[in-house]
Amino acid sequence: MSSETQQSVELQRSVRIGRLLIVGAIAGAVVGALVTTLYKVPEGALYSIGQIAGFMLIIGGAVGLTLGGLLALILTAAAKRKRGTAVLEHTVVVDEGLEPAADEAASTDEAAAGTVTDVPAEQPSDSGSAEKTEEERG
């Protein structure tokens, strides 16, 4: 016995905001670290190239995170414009009997296999004939 219902649903695309934020932060951090290599540290400075790289990594990550968030907002607004409708079919199947246990299923598989293996396999006596007909098997 089964029952079937149909329902109209509205489909809407969505943007993975978390992924865009992570990619933006990583890309900004990498760009910030690469910008560090463009400048030289003057002699007698109170800071090292490692400190500059770390600082630029943090600043680049923050800028990339912000740009990723803005991109996510823009893509979300564009995705909301593309909506569609679909028909949802929901089928509920109720089985009044129980499914066969694993032991019963194995015995039915063996019985089905037994019908195939009960036929005796005869080998042809001469190598020239590929198979015998039913009359030859007798």
Side-chain angles (χ1 to χ4, degrees), residues 95-101 104:
D95 190 14
E96 294 179 11
L98 297 174
E99 293 183 13
E104 293 175 1

Side-chain angles (χ1 to χ4, degrees), residues 13-104:
R13 300 183 121 204
S14 64
V15 177
R16 306 261 182 166
I17 296 174
R19 290 182 182 179
L20 284 172
L21 292 176
I22 290 171
V23 168
I26 291 172
V30 168
V31 169
L34 290 176
V35 167
T36 304
T37 61
L38 299 176
Y39 300 102
K40 293 182 181 180
V41 178
E43 295 281 332
L46 299 175
Y47 47 87
S48 67
I49 191 75
Q51 290 173 328
I52 295 173
F55 189 66
M56 290 301 291
L57 196 84
I58 292 172
I59 291 175
V63 170
L65 185 71
T66 304
L67 292 176
L70 289 174
L71 180 65
L73 289 174
I74 292 169
L75 291 176
T76 301
K80 283 189 177 183
R81 292 181 185 168
K82 295 182 181 180
R83 292 184 180 185
T85 57
V87 176
L88 174 72
E89 292 182 2
H90 185 72
T91 304
V92 177
V93 178
V94 179
D95 190 14
E96 294 179 11
L98 297 174
E99 293 183 13
D103 296 334
E104 293 175 1

